[in-house]
CSV table of all heavy atoms in Angstrom, one decimal:
chain,number,residue,atom,x,y,z
A,532,MET,N,20.1,1.9,-9.6
A,532,MET,CA,19.3,1.5,-10.8
A,532,MET,C,18.9,0.1,-10.7
A,532,MET,O,19.7,-0.8,-10.3
A,532,MET,CB,20.2,1.7,-12.1
A,532,MET,CG,19.5,1.3,-13.3
A,532,MET,SD,20.6,1.3,-14.7
A,532,MET,CE,19.7,2.3,-15.8
A,533,LEU,N,17.7,-0.2,-11.0
A,533,LEU,CA,17.1,-1.6,-10.9
A,533,LEU,C,17.5,-2.3,-12.2
A,533,LEU,O,17.5,-1.8,-13.2
A,533,LEU,CB,15.6,-1.5,-10.7
A,533,LEU,CG,15.1,-0.8,-9.4
A,533,LEU,CD1,13.6,-0.7,-9.4
A,533,LEU,CD2,15.6,-1.5,-8.2
A,534,GLY,N,17.7,-3.6,-12.0
A,534,GLY,CA,18.1,-4.4,-13.2
A,534,GLY,C,17.0,-5.0,-13.9
A,534,GLY,O,15.8,-5.0,-13.5
A,535,LYS,N,17.3,-5.4,-15.1
A,535,LYS,CA,16.2,-6.0,-16.0
A,535,LYS,C,15.5,-7.2,-15.4
A,535,LYS,O,14.3,-7.3,-15.5
A,535,LYS,CB,16.9,-6.3,-17.4
A,535,LYS,CG,15.8,-6.8,-18.4
A,535,LYS,CD,16.4,-7.0,-19.7
A,535,LYS,CE,15.4,-7.3,-20.8
A,535,LYS,NZ,15.9,-7.2,-22.1
A,536,THR,N,16.3,-8.1,-14.8
A,536,THR,CA,15.7,-9.3,-14.2
A,536,THR,C,14.7,-8.9,-13.1
A,536,THR,O,13.6,-9.5,-13.0
A,536,THR,CB,16.9,-10.1,-13.6
A,536,THR,OG1,17.8,-10.5,-14.6
A,536,THR,CG2,16.3,-11.4,-13.0
A,537,TYR,N,15.1,-7.9,-12.2
A,537,TYR,CA,14.2,-7.5,-11.2
A,537,TYR,C,12.9,-6.9,-11.7
A,537,TYR,O,11.8,-7.3,-11.3
A,537,TYR,CB,14.9,-6.5,-10.3
A,537,TYR,CG,14.0,-5.9,-9.2
A,537,TYR,CD1,13.8,-6.6,-8.0
A,537,TYR,CD2,13.4,-4.7,-9.4
A,537,TYR,CE1,13.0,-6.1,-7.1
A,537,TYR,CE2,12.6,-4.2,-8.4
A,537,TYR,CZ,12.4,-4.9,-7.2
A,537,TYR,OH,11.5,-4.4,-6.3
A,538,LEU,N,13.0,-6.0,-12.7
A,538,LEU,CA,11.8,-5.4,-13.3
A,538,LEU,C,10.9,-6.4,-14.0
A,538,LEU,O,9.7,-6.3,-13.8
A,538,LEU,CB,12.3,-4.3,-14.2
A,538,LEU,CG,13.0,-3.1,-13.6
A,538,LEU,CD1,13.5,-2.1,-14.7
A,538,LEU,CD2,12.0,-2.3,-12.7
A,539,THR,N,11.5,-7.3,-14.7
A,539,THR,CA,10.8,-8.3,-15.4
A,539,THR,C,10.0,-9.2,-14.4
A,539,THR,O,8.8,-9.6,-14.6
A,539,THR,CB,11.7,-9.2,-16.3
A,539,THR,OG1,12.3,-8.3,-17.2
A,539,THR,CG2,10.9,-10.2,-17.0
A,540,LYS,N,10.7,-9.6,-13.3
A,540,LYS,CA,10.0,-10.4,-12.3
A,540,LYS,C,8.9,-9.7,-11.6
A,540,LYS,O,7.8,-10.2,-11.4
A,540,LYS,CB,11.1,-10.8,-11.2
A,540,LYS,CG,10.6,-11.6,-10.1
A,540,LYS,CD,10.1,-13.0,-10.5
A,540,LYS,CE,9.7,-13.9,-9.3
A,540,LYS,NZ,9.2,-15.1,-9.7
A,541,GLN,N,9.1,-8.4,-11.3
A,541,GLN,CA,8.0,-7.6,-10.7
A,541,GLN,C,6.8,-7.5,-11.6
A,541,GLN,O,5.7,-7.6,-11.2
A,541,GLN,CB,8.5,-6.2,-10.3
A,541,GLN,CG,9.6,-6.2,-9.2
A,541,GLN,CD,9.1,-6.9,-8.0
A,541,GLN,OE1,8.1,-6.7,-7.4
A,541,GLN,NE2,9.9,-7.9,-7.5
A,542,ALA,N,7.1,-7.3,-12.9
A,542,ALA,CA,6.0,-7.2,-13.9
A,542,ALA,C,5.2,-8.5,-14.0
A,542,ALA,O,4.0,-8.5,-14.0
A,542,ALA,CB,6.5,-6.8,-15.3
A,543,SER,N,6.0,-9.6,-13.9
A,543,SER,CA,5.3,-10.9,-14.0
A,543,SER,C,4.4,-11.1,-12.8
A,543,SER,O,3.3,-11.7,-12.9
A,543,SER,CB,6.4,-12.0,-14.0
A,543,SER,OG,5.9,-13.3,-14.0
A,544,LEU,N,4.9,-10.7,-11.6
A,544,LEU,CA,4.1,-10.9,-10.4
A,544,LEU,C,2.8,-10.0,-10.4
A,544,LEU,O,1.7,-10.5,-10.0
A,544,LEU,CB,4.9,-10.5,-9.2
A,544,LEU,CG,6.0,-11.5,-8.8
A,544,LEU,CD1,6.9,-10.9,-7.7
A,544,LEU,CD2,5.4,-12.8,-8.3
A,545,LEU,N,3.0,-8.8,-11.0
A,545,LEU,CA,1.8,-8.0,-11.1
A,545,LEU,C,0.7,-8.6,-12.0
A,545,LEU,O,-0.5,-8.5,-11.8
A,545,LEU,CB,2.2,-6.6,-11.6
A,545,LEU,CG,2.9,-5.7,-10.6
A,545,LEU,CD1,3.4,-4.4,-11.3
A,545,LEU,CD2,2.1,-5.4,-9.4
A,546,LEU,N,1.2,-9.2,-13.1
A,546,LEU,CA,0.3,-9.8,-14.1
A,546,LEU,C,-0.4,-11.0,-13.4
A,546,LEU,O,-1.6,-11.3,-13.6
A,546,LEU,CB,1.0,-10.3,-15.3
A,546,LEU,CG,1.5,-9.1,-16.2
A,546,LEU,CD1,2.3,-9.7,-17.4
A,546,LEU,CD2,0.3,-8.3,-16.8
A,547,GLU,N,0.4,-11.7,-12.6
A,547,GLU,CA,-0.2,-12.9,-11.9
A,547,GLU,C,-1.3,-12.4,-10.9
A,547,GLU,O,-2.4,-13.0,-10.8
A,547,GLU,CB,0.9,-13.6,-11.1
A,547,GLU,CG,0.5,-14.9,-10.5
A,547,GLU,CD,1.7,-15.6,-9.8
A,547,GLU,OE1,2.8,-15.5,-10.3
A,547,GLU,OE2,1.4,-16.2,-8.7
A,548,PHE,N,-1.0,-11.3,-10.2
A,548,PHE,CA,-2.0,-10.8,-9.3
A,548,PHE,C,-3.2,-10.3,-10.0
A,548,PHE,O,-4.4,-10.5,-9.6
A,548,PHE,CB,-1.5,-9.6,-8.4
A,548,PHE,CG,-0.4,-10.1,-7.4
A,548,PHE,CD1,0.6,-9.2,-7.1
A,548,PHE,CD2,-0.5,-11.3,-6.8
A,548,PHE,CE1,1.6,-9.6,-6.2
A,548,PHE,CE2,0.5,-11.7,-5.9
A,548,PHE,CZ,1.5,-10.8,-5.6
A,549,ALA,N,-3.0,-9.7,-11.2
A,549,ALA,CA,-4.1,-9.2,-12.0
A,549,ALA,C,-5.0,-10.3,-12.5
A,549,ALA,O,-6.3,-10.1,-12.5
A,549,ALA,CB,-3.6,-8.4,-13.2
A,550,ARG,N,-4.5,-11.5,-12.8
A,550,ARG,CA,-5.3,-12.6,-13.2
A,550,ARG,C,-6.1,-13.2,-12.1
A,550,ARG,O,-7.2,-13.8,-12.3
A,550,ARG,CB,-4.4,-13.7,-13.8
A,550,ARG,CG,-3.9,-13.4,-15.2
A,550,ARG,CD,-3.3,-14.7,-15.8
A,550,ARG,NE,-2.0,-15.0,-15.2
A,550,ARG,CZ,-0.8,-14.6,-15.5
A,550,ARG,NH1,-0.7,-13.7,-16.5
A,550,ARG,NH2,0.2,-15.0,-14.8
A,551,THR,N,-5.6,-13.1,-10.8
A,551,THR,CA,-6.3,-13.7,-9.7
A,551,THR,C,-7.4,-12.8,-9.1
A,551,THR,O,-8.2,-13.4,-8.3
A,551,THR,CB,-5.3,-14.1,-8.6
A,551,THR,OG1,-4.6,-13.0,-8.1
A,551,THR,CG2,-4.3,-15.1,-9.2
A,552,THR,N,-7.3,-11.5,-9.3
A,552,THR,CA,-8.3,-10.7,-8.7
A,552,THR,C,-9.6,-10.7,-9.5
A,552,THR,O,-9.7,-10.8,-10.7
A,552,THR,CB,-7.8,-9.3,-8.5
A,552,THR,OG1,-8.7,-8.5,-7.7
A,552,THR,CG2,-7.5,-8.5,-9.8
A,553,SER,N,-10.7,-10.5,-8.7
A,553,SER,CA,-12.0,-10.3,-9.4
A,553,SER,C,-12.4,-8.9,-9.6
A,553,SER,O,-13.4,-8.6,-10.2
A,553,SER,CB,-13.1,-11.1,-8.6
A,553,SER,OG,-13.2,-10.5,-7.3
A,554,ASP,N,-11.6,-8.0,-9.1
A,554,ASP,CA,-11.8,-6.5,-9.2
A,554,ASP,C,-11.2,-6.0,-10.5
A,554,ASP,O,-10.0,-6.0,-10.7
A,554,ASP,CB,-11.2,-5.8,-8.0
A,554,ASP,CG,-11.4,-4.3,-8.0
A,554,ASP,OD1,-11.8,-3.7,-9.1
A,554,ASP,OD2,-11.3,-3.7,-6.9
A,555,SER,N,-12.1,-5.7,-11.5
A,555,SER,CA,-11.6,-5.3,-12.8
A,555,SER,C,-10.8,-4.0,-12.8
A,555,SER,O,-9.9,-3.9,-13.6
A,555,SER,CB,-12.8,-5.3,-13.8
A,555,SER,OG,-13.7,-4.3,-13.4
A,556,ASP,N,-11.2,-3.1,-12.0
A,556,ASP,CA,-10.4,-1.9,-11.9
A,556,ASP,C,-9.0,-2.1,-11.4
A,556,ASP,O,-8.0,-1.6,-11.9
A,556,ASP,CB,-11.1,-0.8,-11.0
A,556,ASP,CG,-12.3,-0.3,-11.6
A,556,ASP,OD1,-12.5,-0.2,-12.8
A,556,ASP,OD2,-13.2,0.2,-10.8
A,557,LEU,N,-8.9,-2.9,-10.3
A,557,LEU,CA,-7.6,-3.3,-9.8
A,557,LEU,C,-6.8,-4.0,-10.8
A,557,LEU,O,-5.6,-3.8,-11.0
A,557,LEU,CB,-7.7,-4.1,-8.5
A,557,LEU,CG,-6.4,-4.6,-7.9
A,557,LEU,CD1,-5.5,-3.4,-7.5
A,557,LEU,CD2,-6.7,-5.4,-6.7
A,558,SER,N,-7.4,-5.0,-11.5
A,558,SER,CA,-6.7,-5.7,-12.5
A,558,SER,C,-6.1,-4.8,-13.6
A,558,SER,O,-5.0,-5.0,-14.0
A,558,SER,CB,-7.7,-6.7,-13.1
A,558,SER,OG,-7.0,-7.5,-14.1
A,559,ALA,N,-6.9,-3.9,-14.1
A,559,ALA,CA,-6.5,-2.9,-15.1
A,559,ALA,C,-5.3,-2.1,-14.6
A,559,ALA,O,-4.3,-1.9,-15.4
A,559,ALA,CB,-7.6,-2.0,-15.5
A,560,LYS,N,-5.3,-1.7,-13.4
A,560,LYS,CA,-4.2,-0.9,-12.8
A,560,LYS,C,-2.9,-1.7,-12.7
A,560,LYS,O,-1.8,-1.3,-13.0
A,560,LYS,CB,-4.6,-0.3,-11.4
A,560,LYS,CG,-5.6,0.8,-11.6
A,560,LYS,CD,-6.0,1.3,-10.2
A,560,LYS,CE,-7.1,2.3,-10.4
A,560,LYS,NZ,-7.6,2.8,-9.1
A,561,LEU,N,-3.1,-3.0,-12.3
A,561,LEU,CA,-1.9,-3.9,-12.2
A,561,LEU,C,-1.3,-4.2,-13.5
A,561,LEU,O,-0.1,-4.2,-13.7
A,561,LEU,CB,-2.3,-5.2,-11.5
A,561,LEU,CG,-2.7,-5.1,-10.0
A,561,LEU,CD1,-3.3,-6.4,-9.5
A,561,LEU,CD2,-1.5,-4.7,-9.2
A,562,ILE,N,-2.2,-4.4,-14.5
A,562,ILE,CA,-1.7,-4.6,-15.9
A,562,ILE,C,-0.9,-3.4,-16.4
A,562,ILE,O,0.1,-3.5,-17.0
A,562,ILE,CB,-2.8,-5.0,-16.8
A,562,ILE,CG1,-3.3,-6.4,-16.4
A,562,ILE,CG2,-2.4,-5.0,-18.3
A,562,ILE,CD1,-4.6,-6.9,-17.1
A,563,SER,N,-1.5,-2.2,-16.1
A,563,SER,CA,-0.9,-1.0,-16.6
A,563,SER,C,0.5,-0.8,-15.9
A,563,SER,O,1.5,-0.4,-16.6
A,563,SER,CB,-1.8,0.2,-16.2
A,563,SER,OG,-1.1,1.4,-16.5
A,564,LYS,N,0.6,-1.1,-14.6
A,564,LYS,CA,1.9,-0.9,-13.9
A,564,LYS,C,2.9,-2.0,-14.5
A,564,LYS,O,4.1,-1.7,-14.6
A,564,LYS,CB,1.7,-1.1,-12.4
A,564,LYS,CG,3.0,-0.9,-11.6
A,564,LYS,CD,3.5,0.5,-11.8
A,564,LYS,CE,4.8,0.6,-11.0
A,564,LYS,NZ,5.5,1.9,-11.3
A,565,ALA,N,2.4,-3.2,-14.8
A,565,ALA,CA,3.3,-4.2,-15.3
A,565,ALA,C,3.8,-3.8,-16.7
A,565,ALA,O,5.0,-4.0,-17.0
A,565,ALA,CB,2.5,-5.5,-15.5
A,566,ALA,N,3.0,-3.1,-17.5
A,566,ALA,CA,3.4,-2.6,-18.8
A,566,ALA,C,4.5,-1.5,-18.6
A,566,ALA,O,5.5,-1.4,-19.4
A,566,ALA,CB,2.3,-2.1,-19.6
A,567,ASP,N,4.3,-0.7,-17.6
A,567,ASP,CA,5.3,0.4,-17.3
A,567,ASP,C,6.7,-0.2,-16.9
A,567,ASP,O,7.7,0.2,-17.4
A,567,ASP,CB,4.9,1.3,-16.1
A,567,ASP,CG,3.7,2.2,-16.5
A,567,ASP,OD1,3.4,2.4,-17.7
A,567,ASP,OD2,3.0,2.7,-15.6
A,568,LEU,N,6.6,-1.3,-16.1
A,568,LEU,CA,7.9,-1.9,-15.7
A,568,LEU,C,8.5,-2.6,-16.9
A,568,LEU,O,9.8,-2.5,-17.0
A,568,LEU,CB,7.6,-2.9,-14.6
A,568,LEU,CG,7.2,-2.4,-13.2
A,568,LEU,CD1,6.8,-3.5,-12.3
A,568,LEU,CD2,8.3,-1.5,-12.6
A,569,LYS,N,7.7,-3.2,-17.7
A,569,LYS,CA,8.3,-3.9,-18.9
A,569,LYS,C,8.9,-2.9,-19.8
A,569,LYS,O,10.0,-3.1,-20.4
A,569,LYS,CB,7.2,-4.7,-19.6
A,569,LYS,CG,7.8,-5.4,-20.8
A,569,LYS,CD,6.8,-6.4,-21.4
A,569,LYS,CE,7.3,-7.1,-22.6
A,569,LYS,NZ,8.6,-7.0,-23.1
A,570,SER,N,8.3,-1.7,-20.0
A,570,SER,CA,8.9,-0.7,-20.9
A,570,SER,C,10.2,-0.1,-20.3
A,570,SER,O,11.1,0.3,-21.0
A,570,SER,CB,7.9,0.4,-21.1
A,570,SER,OG,7.7,1.2,-20.0
A,571,GLN,N,10.4,-0.2,-19.0
A,571,GLN,CA,11.6,0.2,-18.4
A,571,GLN,C,12.7,-0.8,-18.6
A,571,GLN,O,13.9,-0.5,-18.8
A,571,GLN,CB,11.4,0.5,-16.9
A,571,GLN,CG,10.6,1.7,-16.5
A,571,GLN,CD,10.5,1.8,-15.0
A,571,GLN,OE1,11.4,1.4,-14.2
A,571,GLN,NE2,9.3,2.2,-14.6
A,572,ALA,N,12.3,-2.1,-18.5
A,572,ALA,CA,13.2,-3.2,-18.6
A,572,ALA,C,13.7,-3.5,-20.0
A,572,ALA,O,14.8,-3.9,-20.3
A,572,ALA,CB,12.6,-4.5,-18.0
A,573,ASP,N,12.8,-3.2,-21.0
A,573,ASP,CA,13.1,-3.6,-22.4
A,573,ASP,C,14.4,-3.0,-22.9
A,573,ASP,O,15.2,-3.7,-23.6
A,573,ASP,CB,12.0,-3.2,-23.3
A,573,ASP,CG,10.9,-4.3,-23.3
A,573,ASP,OD1,11.1,-5.4,-22.7
A,573,ASP,OD2,9.7,-4.0,-23.7
A,574,PRO,N,14.7,-1.7,-22.7
A,574,PRO,CA,16.0,-1.2,-23.3
A,574,PRO,C,17.2,-1.6,-22.6
A,574,PRO,O,18.3,-1.4,-23.1
A,574,PRO,CB,15.8,0.3,-23.2
A,574,PRO,CG,14.7,0.6,-22.2
A,574,PRO,CD,13.9,-0.7,-22.1
A,575,MET,N,17.1,-2.3,-21.4
A,575,MET,CA,18.3,-2.7,-20.7
A,575,MET,C,18.9,-3.9,-21.3
A,575,MET,O,18.2,-4.7,-21.9
A,575,MET,CB,17.9,-3.0,-19.2
A,575,MET,CG,17.4,-1.8,-18.4
A,575,MET,SD,17.0,-2.4,-16.8
A,575,MET,CE,16.7,-0.8,-16.0
A,576,PRO,N,20.2,-4.1,-21.1
A,576,PRO,CA,20.9,-5.3,-21.6
A,576,PRO,C,20.3,-6.5,-20.8
A,576,PRO,O,19.9,-6.4,-19.7
A,576,PRO,CB,22.3,-5.1,-21.3
A,576,PRO,CG,22.4,-4.0,-20.3
A,576,PRO,CD,21.1,-3.2,-20.4
A,577,ASP,N,20.4,-7.7,-21.5
A,577,ASP,CA,19.8,-8.9,-20.9
A,577,ASP,C,20.6,-9.4,-19.7
A,577,ASP,O,20.1,-9.9,-18.7
A,577,ASP,CB,19.8,-10.1,-21.9
A,577,ASP,CG,18.7,-9.9,-22.9
A,577,ASP,OD1,17.7,-9.2,-22.5
A,577,ASP,OD2,18.8,-10.5,-24.0
A,578,LYS,N,21.9,-9.2,-19.7
A,578,LYS,CA,22.8,-9.6,-18.6
A,578,LYS,C,23.6,-8.5,-18.1
A,578,LYS,O,24.0,-7.6,-18.9
A,578,LYS,CB,23.8,-10.7,-19.1
A,578,LYS,CG,23.1,-11.9,-19.6
A,578,LYS,CD,23.1,-13.0,-18.6
A,578,LYS,CE,22.4,-14.3,-19.3
A,578,LYS,NZ,22.0,-15.2,-18.4
A,579,ASP,N,23.9,-8.5,-16.8
A,579,ASP,CA,24.8,-7.5,-16.2
A,579,ASP,C,26.2,-7.8,-16.7
A,579,ASP,O,26.6,-9.0,-16.9
A,579,ASP,CB,24.8,-7.5,-14.7
A,579,ASP,CG,23.4,-7.1,-14.2
A,579,ASP,OD1,22.8,-6.2,-14.8
A,579,ASP,OD2,23.0,-7.6,-13.1
A,580,PRO,N,27.0,-6.7,-17.0
A,580,PRO,CA,28.4,-7.0,-17.4
A,580,PRO,C,29.1,-7.8,-16.3
A,580,PRO,O,29.0,-7.6,-15.1
A,580,PRO,CB,29.0,-5.6,-17.6
A,580,PRO,CG,28.0,-4.6,-17.2
A,580,PRO,CD,26.7,-5.4,-16.8
A,581,LYS,N,30.0,-8.7,-16.8
A,581,LYS,CA,30.7,-9.6,-15.8
A,581,LYS,C,32.2,-9.1,-15.8
A,581,LYS,O,32.7,-8.6,-16.8
A,581,LYS,CB,30.6,-11.0,-16.3
A,581,LYS,CG,29.2,-11.5,-16.3
A,581,LYS,CD,29.2,-13.0,-16.1
A,581,LYS,CE,27.8,-13.6,-16.2
A,581,LYS,NZ,27.1,-13.7,-15.0
A,582,ALA,N,32.8,-9.4,-14.7
A,582,ALA,CA,34.2,-9.1,-14.5
A,582,ALA,C,35.0,-10.0,-15.4
A,582,ALA,O,34.6,-11.1,-15.7
A,582,ALA,CB,34.7,-9.2,-13.1
A,583,PRO,N,36.2,-9.6,-15.9
A,583,PRO,CA,37.0,-10.5,-16.8
A,583,PRO,C,37.5,-11.6,-16.0
A,583,PRO,O,37.6,-11.5,-14.7
A,583,PRO,CB,38.1,-9.6,-17.2
A,583,PRO,CG,38.1,-8.4,-16.3
A,583,PRO,CD,36.8,-8.3,-15.8
A,584,ASP,N,37.8,-12.7,-16.7
A,584,ASP,CA,38.3,-13.9,-16.0
A,584,ASP,C,39.7,-13.5,-15.3
A,584,ASP,O,40.4,-12.8,-15.9
A,584,ASP,CB,38.5,-15.1,-16.9
A,584,ASP,CG,37.2,-15.6,-17.4
A,584,ASP,OD1,36.2,-15.5,-16.7
A,584,ASP,OD2,37.2,-16.3,-18.5
A,585,VAL,N,39.9,-14.1,-14.2
A,585,VAL,CA,41.1,-13.9,-13.5
A,585,VAL,C,41.9,-15.2,-13.4
A,585,VAL,O,41.3,-16.2,-13.0
A,585,VAL,CB,40.8,-13.4,-12.0
A,585,VAL,CG1,42.1,-13.2,-11.3
A,585,VAL,CG2,40.1,-12.1,-12.1
A,586,ALA,N,43.2,-15.2,-13.8
A,586,ALA,CA,44.0,-16.4,-13.7
A,586,ALA,C,44.2,-16.7,-12.2
A,586,ALA,O,44.5,-15.9,-11.4
A,586,ALA,CB,45.3,-16.1,-14.4
A,587,LEU,N,44.1,-18.0,-11.9
A,587,LEU,CA,44.2,-18.4,-10.5
A,587,LEU,C,45.6,-18.9,-10.1
A,587,LEU,O,45.9,-19.1,-9.0
A,587,LEU,CB,43.2,-19.6,-10.2
A,587,LEU,CG,41.7,-19.2,-10.3
A,587,LEU,CD1,40.9,-20.4,-10.1
A,587,LEU,CD2,41.4,-18.1,-9.3
A,588,ASP,N,46.5,-19.2,-11.1
A,588,ASP,CA,47.8,-19.6,-10.7
A,588,ASP,C,48.8,-18.5,-10.4
A,588,ASP,O,48.6,-17.4,-10.9
A,588,ASP,CB,48.5,-20.6,-11.7
A,588,ASP,CG,48.1,-20.3,-13.2
A,588,ASP,OD1,46.9,-20.2,-13.4
A,588,ASP,OD2,49.0,-20.2,-14.0
A,589,GLY,N,49.7,-18.7,-9.5
A,589,GLY,CA,50.7,-17.7,-9.2
A,589,GLY,C,50.3,-16.8,-8.0
A,589,GLY,O,51.0,-15.8,-7.8
A,590,GLY,N,49.3,-17.1,-7.3
A,590,GLY,CA,48.9,-16.3,-6.1
A,590,GLY,C,49.9,-16.5,-5.0
A,590,GLY,O,50.8,-17.4,-5.0
A,591,PRO,N,49.8,-15.8,-3.9
A,591,PRO,CA,50.8,-16.0,-2.7
A,591,PRO,C,50.7,-17.4,-2.1
A,591,PRO,O,51.7,-17.9,-1.6
A,591,PRO,CB,50.3,-14.9,-1.7
A,591,PRO,CG,49.0,-14.5,-2.1
A,591,PRO,CD,48.8,-14.8,-3.6
A,592,ASP,N,49.6,-18.1,-2.3
A,592,ASP,CA,49.4,-19.4,-1.7
A,592,ASP,C,49.7,-20.5,-2.7
A,592,ASP,O,49.8,-21.7,-2.4
A,592,ASP,CB,48.0,-19.6,-1.1
A,592,ASP,CG,47.7,-18.7,0.0
A,592,ASP,OD1,48.7,-18.3,0.7
A,592,ASP,OD2,46.5,-18.3,0.2
A,593,ARG,N,49.9,-20.1,-4.0
A,593,ARG,CA,50.1,-21.1,-5.1
A,593,ARG,C,51.2,-20.7,-5.9
A,593,ARG,O,51.1,-19.7,-6.6
A,593,ARG,CB,48.8,-21.2,-6.0
A,593,ARG,CG,47.6,-21.7,-5.3
A,593,ARG,CD,46.5,-21.6,-6.2
A,593,ARG,NE,46.0,-23.0,-6.5
A,593,ARG,CZ,45.1,-23.3,-7.3
A,593,ARG,NH1,44.5,-22.3,-8.0
A,593,ARG,NH2,44.7,-24.5,-7.5
A,594,PRO,N,52.3,-21.4,-5.9
A,594,PRO,CA,53.4,-21.1,-6.9
A,594,PRO,C,52.9,-21.4,-8.3
A,594,PRO,O,52.2,-22.3,-8.6
A,594,PRO,CB,54.5,-22.0,-6.4
A,594,PRO,CG,53.9,-23.1,-5.6
A,594,PRO,CD,52.6,-22.6,-5.1
A,595,SER,N,53.4,-20.5,-9.2
A,595,SER,CA,53.0,-20.7,-10.6
A,595,SER,C,53.8,-21.8,-11.2
A,595,SER,O,55.0,-22.1,-10.8
A,595,SER,CB,53.1,-19.4,-11.4
A,595,SER,OG,54.5,-19.0,-11.4
A,596,GLY,N,53.3,-22.5,-12.2
A,596,GLY,CA,54.0,-23.5,-12.9
A,596,GLY,C,54.0,-24.9,-12.2
A,596,GLY,O,54.8,-25.8,-12.6
A,597,SER,N,53.2,-25.1,-11.2
A,597,SER,CA,53.2,-26.4,-10.5
A,597,SER,C,52.0,-27.3,-10.9
A,597,SER,O,51.1,-27.0,-11.4
A,597,SER,CB,53.2,-26.3,-9.0
A,597,SER,OG,52.2,-25.5,-8.5
């Protein structure tokens, strides 16, 4: 599954290409595809879930309490 950040970046690039082309048909297709990508990204959470914090003391190389 592609992430929200990736889809948003791709949509942004498509819009940038659409603005730079002089071909109105191509521009319309690029804008349409960007809208499709944005609609896929919108329902996704903003950030990927992160792993819980892990305590660093007490490992095999570090005695705890020092």
Side-chain angles (χ1 to χ4, degrees):
M532 176 190 233
L533 301 175
K535 184 172 188 167
T536 303
Y537 176 81
L538 293 173
T539 303
K540 179 68 174 173
Q541 294 305 308
S543 175
L544 289 170
L545 289 175
L546 291 174
E547 187 177 326
F548 292 146
R550 282 191 294 271
T551 61
T552 186
S553 59
D554 183 340
S555 60
D556 289 335
L557 176 59
S558 180
K560 289 176 184 176
L561 291 171
I562 291 170
S563 175
K564 184 60 180 174
D567 290 343
L568 291 175
K569 182 166 174 14
S570 69
Q571 289 177 37
D573 281 344
M575 294 181 172
D577 285 336
K578 302 258 183 196
D579 293 328
K581 299 207 185 263
D584 290 337
V585 177
L587 295 177
D588 30 311
D592 296 332
R593 296 176 115 180
S595 60
S597 53

